C-alpha cells in the first residue's frame, strides 16, 4: 500500500508536457493580486491644531475689555482692541499663511460692524423716542460682541495642514544692521486726532528689531493737546525674508499738555508702547520702509480740571509710515 501511494504521488507531481507539475501553485488572478496589494486606508493628515494660540490672544483681549469697561479705562480698552484685531492674524502670519491672516483681520472688522448694524436696526424698530435710541445702542453692543465672538471661534478652528498656500520665503535679510530715519503718524485719541512726526533709530537682526522713537504730536477737537514722547520697543519679525509682519512692545515717557478755554493741564509719566505692522525692503542694506499701528498708553493718572471733560492723561492710537536709511 505504501508503495502504491508513493507511485500515485510521484505521478501527480510529475512534470507535464510543458514542464509543470500537475500539482503546482496557481498564479493569483490579477484582480485578487490587486486586492492583496492594497493595504488598510491611510487617514488624511489633518495637520496641527494651533487654534489654541488664537484662543489665548482673544481670551486676553476679552479680559482686558472687561477690565476697561467698568469703570472706564481707556488704556485697557485700547490694549484690548489692538490685541483682538492683530492677535489672531499674527498667529497665521507666523506660519507664513499670508492670505489666512488677512482673512482673519477682515472677519474681525466686518463681523462686529455688520452684526452690530443689523442688531442696532432691529433694536430700534420696536419703539420711538428715547426707547428706540436705547434699543439701537443695546442692539449695536450685543451685535458687535456676537460678531467678535464669531470671528474668534472661526480662528480657533485653525489647523496647519499640508499643502496650504504659504508666502514663499525670499532671500534672507542682512543681520545686525543699524538704521536711522523718521515717521509720519496720524493719531486718534479721546480728544480727537491729529498729525505727528518722529525721529527713529533701529538695530535689526533677522528676527528682532530694537527701535528707539522720539515723537511730537498735536491732537485737537474741542480742545488742543500737545504730546511729546520717547520710547524704546523690541519687536519680533515673523519671517526672515525681504518683507515681514512685526509686532512688539516696550516702554517710554509721555507728556501731554491740554489747553481748553484758557485753561491748561499738564500730565507726564511712564507709558506702555506697542506697535505692529509690516516691514518692507529688508534685503536692502541701506533702506527700510514700514507701515503699521502704534499705541501709547499712559501708566499714570492725572486730575481732571473743572472745565475739562476728560483726563489730560489719555492713550493714543496711530497709523504710521516709517522710512529708515
Amino acid at each position: 500500500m505504501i508503495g502504491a501511494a508513493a507511485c500515485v504521488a510521484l505521478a501527480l507531481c510529475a512534470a507535464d508536457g510543458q514542464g509543470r507539475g500537475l500539482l503546482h501553485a496557481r498564479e493569483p488572478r490579477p484582480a485578487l493580486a490587486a486586492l492583496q496589494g492594497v493595504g488598510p486606508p491611510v487617514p488624511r493628515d489633518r495637520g496641527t491644531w494651533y487654534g489654541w494660540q488664537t484662543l489665548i490672544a482673544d481670551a486676553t483681549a476679552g479680559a482686558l475689555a472687561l477690565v476697561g469697561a467698568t469703570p472706564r479705562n481707556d488704556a485697557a480698552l485700547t490694549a484690548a482692541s489692538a490685541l483682538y484685531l492683530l492677535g489672531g492674524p499674527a498667529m497665521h502670519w507666523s506660519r507664513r499663511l499670508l492670505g489666512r491672516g488677512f482673512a482673519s483681520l477682515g472677519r474681525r472688522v466686518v463681523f462686529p460692524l455688520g452684526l452690530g448694524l443689523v442688531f442696532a436696526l432691529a433694536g430700534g424698530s420696536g419703539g420711538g423716542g428715547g426707547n428706540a435710541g436705547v434699543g439701537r445702542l443695546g442692539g449695536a453692543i450685543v451685535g458687535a460682541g456676537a460678531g467678535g465672538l464669531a470671528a474668534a471661534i472661526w480662528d480657533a478652528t485653525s489647523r496647519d495642514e499640508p499643502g496650504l498656500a504659504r508666502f514663499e520665503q525670499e532671500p534672507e535679510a542682512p543681520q545686525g544692521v543699524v538704521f536711522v530715519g523718521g515717521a509720519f503718524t496720524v493719531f486718534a485719541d479721546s480728544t480727537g486726532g491729529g498729525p505727528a512726526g518722529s525721529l527713529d533709530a533701529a538695530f535689526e537682526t533677522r528676527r528682532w528689531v530694537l527701535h528707539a522713537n522720539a515723537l511730537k504730536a498735536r491732537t485737537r477737537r474741542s480742545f488742543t493737546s500737545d504730546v511729546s514722547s520717547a520710547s524704546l520697543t523690541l519687536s519680533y519679525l515673523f519671517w526672515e525674508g525681504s518683507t515681514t509682519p512685526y509686532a512688539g512692545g516696550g516702554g517710554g515717557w509721555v507728556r501731554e499738555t491740554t489747553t481748553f478755554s484758557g485753561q491748561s493741564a499738564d500730565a507726564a509719566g511712564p507709558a506702555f508702547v506697542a506697535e505692529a505692522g509690516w516691514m518692507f525692503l529688508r534685503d536692502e542694506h541701506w533702506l527700510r520702509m514700514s507701515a503699521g499701528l502704534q499705541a501709547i498708553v499712559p501708566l499714570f493718572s492725572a486730575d481732571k480740571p473743572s472745565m475739562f471733560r476728560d483726563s489730560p492723561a489719555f492713550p493714543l492710537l496711530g497709523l504710521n509710515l516709517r522710512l529708515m536709511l
Side-chain angles (χ1 to χ4, degrees):
M1 291 292 293
I2 296 176
C7 292
V8 172
L10 288 173
L12 291 175
C13 294
D16 61 5
Q18 298 179 354
R20 296 178 301 179
L22 295 178
L23 292 181
H24 64 279
R26 299 183 62 185
E27 296 180 359
R29 297 177 182 177
L32 182 60
L35 289 176
Q36 290 174 344
V38 176
V42 179
R44 183 174 67 90
D45 186 1
R46 299 187 62 197
T48 303
W49 177 61
Y50 65 94
W52 62 272
Q53 297 173 344
T54 67
L55 276 176
I56 291 176
D58 289 325
T60 305
L64 287 172
L66 291 177
V67 169
T70 52
R72 181 184 174 90
N73 185 318
D74 288 340
L77 291 176
T78 300
S81 301
L83 186 58
Y84 164 74
L85 284 175
L86 298 173
M91 300 307 167
H92 301 304
W93 289 331
S94 67
R95 290 167 171 76
R96 294 187 288 118
L97 299 172
L98 185 61
R100 183 178 284 188
F102 278 113
S104 171
L105 181 60
R107 286 191 298 269
R108 290 168 180 268
V109 174
V110 173
F111 282 13
L113 290 179
L115 286 180
L117 178 60
V118 171
F119 277 63
L121 294 176
S125 62
N131 291 334
V134 173
R136 281 193 291 268
L137 178 60
I141 294 174
V142 171
L149 181 61
I153 292 174
W154 189 312
D155 272 344
T157 64
S158 299
R159 287 182 173 274
D160 193 349
E161 301 175 0
L164 291 175
R166 302 177 191 272
F167 182 81
E168 293 297 329
Q169 195 66 277
E170 298 182 22
E172 293 183 348
Q175 186 169 354
V177 186
V178 177
F179 295 94
V180 294
F184 175 76
T185 307
V186 178
F187 274 113
D189 55 47
S190 58
T191 71
S198 66
L199 295 177
D200 300 81
F203 175 74
E204 180 185 322
T205 67
R206 289 178 180 171
R207 285 289 189 176
W208 298 92
V209 58
L210 185 65
H211 175 221
N213 173 271
L215 179 141
K216 181 70 174 178
R218 168 165 289 193
T219 65
R220 64 179 68 200
R221 187 189 292 168
S222 58
F223 47 89
T224 301
S225 297
D226 291 312
V227 179
S228 302
S229 74
S231 63
L232 185 67
T233 58
L234 181 65
S235 294
Y236 178 69
L237 307 175
F238 290 94
W239 306 333
E240 296 184 0
S242 64
T243 178
T244 178
Y246 67 89
W253 186 269
V254 63
R255 183 187 186 100
E256 299 171 333
T257 303
T258 303
T259 304
F260 176 71
S261 297
Q263 275 193 320
S264 180
D266 187 72
F272 170 72
V273 181
E275 56 185 13
W278 211 276
M279 188 179 295
F280 306 94
L281 305 175
R282 293 192 66 222
D283 53 345
E284 299 289 343
H285 289 266
W286 59 275
L287 180 64
R288 288 291 185 276
M289 187 172 67
S290 65
L293 295 172
Q294 183 181 24
I296 302 175
V297 183
L299 300 177
F300 58 92
S301 59
D303 295 331
K304 182 175 65 174
S306 59
M307 297 185 65
F308 280 52
R309 295 177 306 184
D310 301 299
S311 169
F314 49 84
L316 300 100
L317 180 65
L319 179 65
N320 63 43
L321 181 65
R322 183 177 295 126
L323 185 65
M324 309 281 282
L325 302 175

